[in-house]
Amino acid sequence: MSENFRSSETKFLDKTNRISFIYNGKKYYGYKGDTLASALLSNGVHLIGRSFKYHRPRGIMTCGSEEPNAIVQIGGNGSFTEPNVRATEQEIYEGLEASSQNCWPSVEFDVGGINNFISPVIPAGFYYKTFMWPRKLWYSLYEPAIRMSAGLGKSPTQPDPELYDHNHLHCDVLVVGGGISGIIAASISADNGNNTVLIDDKNSLGGSTIFQDDENFKIDDEISSVWLNNQIKNIKNKKNLIIKQRTSLAAYHSYNYLLARENLADHKSLNERANKLRQRLWKIRAKKVILATGAIERPLIFNNNDRPGVMLASSVKKYIDYFGVKCGNKNVIFTNNDSAYETAISLNKKGINVTIVDIRGKSSSVLVKNAKDAGIKIYWNHTVVDTKGYRRIKSIQIMEMSEDGTNVIGSKINLVCDNLSISGGWTPMVHLFTQSGGKLKFRDSDQVFLPNTATSDQINVGSCNGDFELDDIIKNTISDCKSFLSSSSTDFDLIKVSCPKQKENKNVWLLPNDKPLGKTKPFLDFQNDSTAKDIKLAMREGFRSIEHVKRYTTTGMGTDQGKLANMHALGIISETAGVKMGSLGTTTFRPPYTPLSFGTIVGRNVGTFFDIIRKTPMHTWHENHKAEFENVGQWKRAWYYPKTNESMNQAVQRESKAARESAGILDASTLGKIDIKGTDASEFLNRVYTNAWSKLGIGKCRYGLMLNEDGMVYDDGVTTRLSENHYLMTTTTGGAANVLSKLEDYLQTEWPELDVWLTSVTDHYATASVCGPNSKNILKKIFPNIEFNDENFPHMSFKNAELDGIYCRIMRISFTGEHSYEINIESKYGKSLWEKCMDAGKEFNITPYGTETMHLLRAEKGFIIVGQDTDGTMTPIDLQMDWIVSKKKYDFIGKRSLYRSDTMREDRKQLVGLLTDNPSEVLEEGAQIVQDEKKQPIEMLGHVTSSYFSPNLNKSIALAVVKNGKKLKGQKLLVPMKDKTIKVTVSDFIFFDNKNERLNA
Amino acid sequence: MKNNYSIFSLIKNSLTYHENWQQAWRDPEPKKEYDAVIIGGGGHGLATAFYLAKKHNMKNIAVVEKGWIGGGNTGRNTTIIRSNYLWDASAGLYDHALKLWENLSQEINYNVMFSQRGVMNLAHNLQDVRDLKRRTHANRLNGIDAVWLSTEEVKNFCPIINTSPDIRYPVLGGTLQRRAGTARHDAVAWGYARGADSMGVDIIQNCEVKAIKRSGDAVEGLETTKGFIKTKKIGVVAAGHSSVIANMAGIRLPLESKPLQALVSEPVKPIINTVVMSNAVHAYVSQSDKGELVIGAGTDAYVSYTQRGSHDVVEGTLKAILELYPIFSRMKMLRQWGGIVDICPDASPIVSKTSIKGLYFNCGWGTGGFKATPGSGDLFAHTIANDEPHVLNAAFNINRFVSGDLVDEHGAAAVAH
Amino acid sequence: MFIITCPFCGERDQSEFAAGGEAHIVRPKQPTELSDDEWADFLFMRKNIKGVQFERWNHAHGCRKWFNVIRDTSNDKIHAVYKMGEKPPIK
Amino acid sequence: MLDINFPKFEKKDFQDLTLNLVEPINKINLRGKNRDFFAKAGKILSIMLPIDPNTSATIKNISAVWLSPDEWMVYGKDIDKNISLSLDNEISKLNLGSVTDVSDQWILINMKGKNVFDVLSKGSPFNFNKFKSTKNIVVQTLLNHVDVILHQNDLNNVNLFVRKSFSEHLWLWINDSSSFL
């Protein structure tokens, strides 16, 4: 079509700024400020897409976020592509690419259209009733077929090149909606001294009043649009008012926590968008909220009411008055109320042919009189019974309605048209109100749900509160806002409003037809193709609740979230069931109000910022020495240090040998460190650890095991007594934060009487752990003033020291079984300390080793790792650590749980060693252990928790937990793998130096 | 059985414009007395009634539901079905359920759209790898079809996952259970309801329980908004509201009811053909037959009966989704909602008798109850009918919290090294 | 996302806090004297009330103090907060 | 000599915002509640430890910031060794409370300029509306999921404390957010 439908001038578009865009491969033109919908309509394009189920041709119905049909794929196949975008909301930009969805090969000719012909056999919920026989066809044929037919648009297949951001906003008053009531509310609020935020989803403020040029609608003797324009001008100068346009409220949570999406780029051409933010999510905390979200027009439900060219009357008005676009040359307006007459008059003024079909008997309002005077033909008491035209409406058939409106009489009248503007009255947008927890009430006079009781500090004004006429809107908005904000201002008190409409409308949910319902297609949900028939079928089958009917028929489950469909569904249900509509309740409106991009919700928390990275003071050294890193919680820990073309295994074997044969060094800075002070420190440790602490000598270290109250091992580590009332506790890397808060919890809530103070010093100290036969010699070089002989500095003791005048703590403790020392120093010196150790150790071939080697070395010694050898089901007894559980102590965390019938069982899973019959065979960690493979069901005795090839023993070793393991020592067991079964023997779990001679070597 | 569902019945009824379909279930008033009453008309409750009638010939029974059947967690979950659990007891329970799923549509003549598209669990750190391998070995020996996948195999099975080694928590591998998948949640409730109803079970909606009547330590009946109902056996399947009923009966349960959230995207053409779960990077995703991405978020840490959770949980989940699937950044969230899940300290359910004679509880399913629906119903029916547990649910008794013999499915809940 | 009034720091966003579950479950002074049932009661059994619940919260990312909150779990409205060891301001 | 390594944060200027690493800074954690504790601390520091929540007291180069009813952080450039010594001797050693050197536990990043709070608001749920216009005010909150202590002595001039192991990550985030003002 080459005809230009941009009929009239409009001040809302920048006519000097002509823009080209591509739709279904064809180039079209529009103007800056056009939506894709208005631009397409100006080119005479109505056919936009195909419906989900029957693949019926569909066009543009509305001009806003309620649009069910005109949803397109934006941005071609590139990385900017986006499915299911409403043509009625997308602003055009130079080079915009858009294409129809859910059709193949083209929207003009779509193979899926076949569904329309089999539609009699596939009513609502048909798939629940079939595809069950034969069973195997379900898997091979039916289910794949159903899955193939899924979806509308296409998911992107490339990462998103654009950026998103978040920001928190705290204000006194948030006004949602920039229509006339929102403007008035914002103005009153700001003048009242509240810091106020006004958000509106459009690119220009003023809602539908901004293009209301009818002389009949006057405010203070000015045309309403003129008056509003002045109001907008003056609120823009208010200091304490922030106005955010192209910003739509997505969700309204409790405690007045609201999420709003600000659109910064979607209206700009791609080359203007590089490295800029696309959208920003505002996380708003408002003391008070004023909702002015407006109302949307209802469609009318009659046979074949879904053809391209069937549009909401108010939208047709916006297209002509705001965008200067006519939606057809021959318009029929089909209505049950006065507001559609505004559309008729607007069209008529622009010289466009209009006929009106009104289901009412009459209306005495000025507006209707004007229409008559303009010579517009009105069919009173008539209804549309059918429409014709496949890809665009061509004609309609109307009939007279019977007295009671339940039937049609007389003969059909055929009206030729290329546009049918329908108006079924108005539905207040109470979605956000209900999201916030507000309860609705029902108004019978015009069959609308209205805000009733709110759970948060907020009010609703304007048409979302059920005021549909200008005079009510303005007067109530003013008085409600003033009392809500307890404003004493007298502004607007004397406002004069004239509004010529009659407020009664005649509401018929499902219009009568000459054909039986079964032979007609009166659509409710245009996107999901659910009809009034489907609703009645669902109810016939026993589905009563609105939620059931909705789910069974998929009504309101589309991307428009049923903004158009839900009320009629409710209406038809209540009529059919013969119950009052108010008593039915509504479906729950779930956030978001309009669909929200994942990227927007996530903001900058992608890639680098997906999660925190914690680094030790020596991190750069590890990097410079080619360390591979392991994620431990949020920490990056050196895992192993491969030499050129060394495999992980080779590196670990080398590191392990070096540590035992001469010297190794480990970065242990990530271990949690808690400074404990106070006169009750010892008593406190007695209560939180399983063993006794009071007698620990000053300057001595002790290993401790911490349980949960349920008796299961929770954490472990070495704690040092620095002085009478001063300890330093170390925790596992992953446990640090939890242990500290657990200990604080007990101190604050259970034992407030204890004089104990905890302070985390995890990040304050860097820790280098030097181990191996030569560790002593290395430390001697670094700390010449300290005597490192066993008398002066025995195992499990500590010394204060100085290094170049810097204070250090040295603990002689060992997690490897080797003679070894842990040096703690202020973290700013950590890297330097490490380098000093490396220098001093050079002559002894000191070898840096990572967590993997550490794990191997400790496994040779049978030391457990909490979280690897335990899984929250192991008691100290299970770990054969009875020695650490004080029998004398009256109580400690978890003690009581050790004496329950199950925890006392002799044959619980217990920690043991496993040796493979083939010493070179290394078991897989996690492998299961059995005694008898044949027995069915096979009994699993336990599993392998740690497993390595020990270079120092030159054989494979493993730790495992095995049912009744203590008693099985020496016995043969089996480890069944997928492809083979490995023979193992239960052994002691200390494989290396079980006399601990090396500790003092 | 009422009139059979099939393609032929559809064609036949299309000739009469589908005017002659029968009600899927009746809408009866409660009788004075039943042999047993099930509290809770969700999937588990309706399945229980179905199997009581079918297998134990208890047909004079009722299901009382305070709202609408299937309106609770059944209609709110992300419909993941799998049986690759660690402990024998759990594996037995969930695989029993999975076997029932495989024939369920035929058994109840209602297509529950059970789709065995496979469920993949990803590992993101070394302990994940140990835990998942441990589970896979246990599954294999328990006859459950779980296999370990290398990172490459993960990529091959679901190409859109970002398996780059450069992401914050790279995918180090995963497990796959091919028999696992999804089903249509509403259909499960509706199908069981229709099946039970056709055997004479009364399904009474909008009937809220107000009190449990006891004489001594045995139940006598229940006070409801539709009057008193006499019965000697009460099976409570009230999910998030289990504790509310327990308080009526004067017993305490080791439960906390917390918000669990989920969301769906707008529908798109098929893009992900399996179910992918990741615990370390908390994100579960699959694609519904309508084309929506169905995404499970986490629970909040506090008790709430509001069916709303905090936004941070949703943000955290989508953050994880974009880490694993960067291509979804421009997809849009269409709907977000919450349910109330009742969680046991050991993350395993309670399907058990109680200290009160004739009072049985089926609860504590936490975040994963849907997958167990048929098995849970079958075993709970057995427990009620015989007044003693089936071997498959014996381990899930209430007494385990006293003895300490828990079924700890947190896996390696303990801290990492 | 609630707004919780820390009795020390004032109104803060929920994300700064950690929930600690049911309040006023005092750790038995003499656990060894308890029967397995009594101990299980302390360990695991919870009221899990639908309605007004007394619970513990910790200002984990603020002053790190534990305190009590009275919240209606049926609508998440917070009725009062009070410090550890204090008597509930409302029954 | 041991050399000192702080994270490599170069001073950065953004629109109405300057980011700057300020180290070394002495930081001392004080915990206690009895009268003697307050008296001693006040005497040695010649600052009364602030008891009003979220406030601070500054004299010369030393600031004492409130962290909780029984916890404070005292910080400043080159705090006299004797002060920390006497704090330790006269409080810790006499069991009046606890004194712990946390100089390297925390990294101090100074944020100066009109846009400080725009950046902070991107990552923090805290309501800065009052804070903005108040001197000697302190808040412990979250910034991009990281624990921080924010201390404002002069308006639009905030000292941000973050645990050292988190500091590099947070520095990157602050820089990133500052570039999208």
Side-chain angles (χ1 to χ4, degrees), chain D residues 55-56 131-138 151-155:
Chain D
T55 63
S56 73
F131 190 98
K132 268 193 188 107
S133 51
T134 318
K135 292 186 176 184
N136 302 320
I137 187 166
V138 57
H151 179 217
Q152 174 170 260
N153 266 341
D154 305 323
L155 298 189

Side-chain angles (χ1 to χ4, degrees), chain A residues 180 183-189 191 219-220 227 231 234-235 238 474-475 477-479 481-482 487 489-497:
Chain A
I180 187 162
I183 300 290
I184 293 171
S187 168
I188 292 173
S189 170
D191 290 345
I219 307 169
D220 286 342
W227 183 88
Q231 290 299 319
N234 91 56
I235 62 167
K238 296 190 192 290
I474 292 177
K475 294 219 163 78
T477 299
I478 291 166
S479 57
C481 288
K482 284 184 178 176
S487 150
S489 140
T490 59
D491 304 356
F492 302 117
D493 281 2
L494 303 168
I495 196 159
K496 295 212 312 290
V497 186

Side-chain angles (χ1 to χ4, degrees), chain A residues 653-951:
Chain A
Q653 296 288 311
R654 171 178 52 76
E655 292 170 12
S656 311
K657 282 185 91 64
R660 293 229 186 271
E661 284 166 5
S662 177
I665 180 169
L666 172 85
D667 179 355
S669 306
T670 62
L671 291 183
K673 303 172 210 69
I674 302 171
D675 185 278
I676 304 174
K677 295 195 184 80
T679 51
D680 295 318
S682 306
E683 170 59 16
F684 179 65
L685 291 172
N686 280 334
R687 298 187 191 184
V688 299
Y689 278 132
T690 60
N691 48 347
W693 290 81
S694 315
K695 294 196 180 55
L696 180 66
I698 292 169
K700 294 278 179 285
C701 314
R702 179 168 290 170
Y703 174 79
L705 204 56
M706 203 181 289
L707 310 185
N708 265 328
E709 285 291 9
D710 68 2
M712 303 303 157
V713 171
Y714 177 73
D715 202 76
D716 68 344
V718 170
T719 294
T720 304
R721 189 167 201 172
L722 300 169
S723 70
E724 176 63 23
N725 299 319
H726 186 189
Y727 290 81
L728 181 71
M729 170 188 283
T730 60
T731 74
T732 60
T733 298
N738 300 341
V739 169
L740 180 61
S741 60
K742 181 187 170 97
L743 298 184
E744 273 291 344
D745 187 358
Y746 275 92
L747 276 176
Q748 291 179 33
T749 60
E750 301 296 347
W751 310 320
E753 71 280 4
L754 292 186
D755 172 37
V756 176
W757 301 106
L758 307 177
T759 308
S760 166
V761 289
T762 302
D763 291 60
H764 181 65
Y765 291 107
T767 305
S769 172
V770 182
C771 81
N774 281 314
S775 55
K776 187 198 286 183
N777 304 326
I778 294 166
L779 264 80
K780 273 188 194 149
K781 288 174 69 181
I782 305 172
F783 300 98
N785 315 337
I786 294 184
E787 288 199 29
F788 282 94
N789 57 57
D790 293 344
E791 300 67 46
N792 179 59
F793 200 162
H795 181 58
M796 295 308 271
S797 68
F798 123 96
K799 289 255 178 286
N800 289 310
E802 278 205 352
L803 175 52
D804 298 345
I806 306 303
Y807 171 71
C808 315
R809 288 171 177 161
I810 308 175
M811 282 85 175
R812 183 174 164 189
I813 53 179
S814 175
F815 193 44
T816 60
E818 293 300 313
H819 188 127
S820 74
Y821 301 89
E822 272 187 23
I823 312 167
N824 287 347
I825 193 165
E826 290 175 14
S827 52
K828 60 172 157 302
Y829 301 110
K831 182 156 173 284
S832 191
L833 167 71
W834 182 273
E835 283 156 348
K836 275 228 180 318
C837 295
M838 291 306 293
D839 295 345
K842 210 181 227 84
E843 62 179 286
F844 306 102
N845 175 38
I846 189 170
T847 304
Y849 66 92
T851 50
E852 192 63 22
T853 292
M854 170 189 64
H855 289 177
L856 189 162
L857 296 172
R858 64 87 206 181
E860 292 177 331
K861 287 292 296 177
F863 295 141
I864 61 150
I865 286 179
V866 174
Q868 177 170 345
D869 302 294
T870 72
D871 62 1
T873 68
M874 302 296 287
T875 70
I877 319 297
D878 301 338
L879 295 170
Q880 304 209 38
M881 293 171 83
D882 314 47
W883 54 271
I884 205 173
V885 181
S886 160
K887 305 279 173 297
K888 285 190 240 67
K889 278 200 297 178
Y890 181 74
D891 186 21
F892 56 80
I893 296 174
K895 178 175 186 182
R896 176 62 182 83
S897 290
L898 298 176
Y899 298 88
R900 293 176 297 170
S901 59
D902 188 71
T903 39
M904 283 195 301
R905 258 176 38 233
E906 286 294 308
D907 63 346
R908 287 173 60 86
K909 287 184 180 171
Q910 292 142 355
L911 184 75
V912 296
L914 289 185
L915 293 172
T916 47
D917 289 10
N918 167 0
S920 62
E921 174 126 52
V922 180
L923 295 169
E924 180 169 281
E925 289 171 348
Q928 295 288 330
I929 300 156
V930 308
Q931 194 146 29
D932 173 4
E933 264 188 303
K934 308 284 163 294
K935 181 152 158 263
Q936 284 298 337
I938 193 161
E939 187 194 5
M940 286 173 255
L941 301 175
H943 72 286
V944 177
T945 60
S946 303
S947 173
Y948 309 88
F949 185 84
S950 160

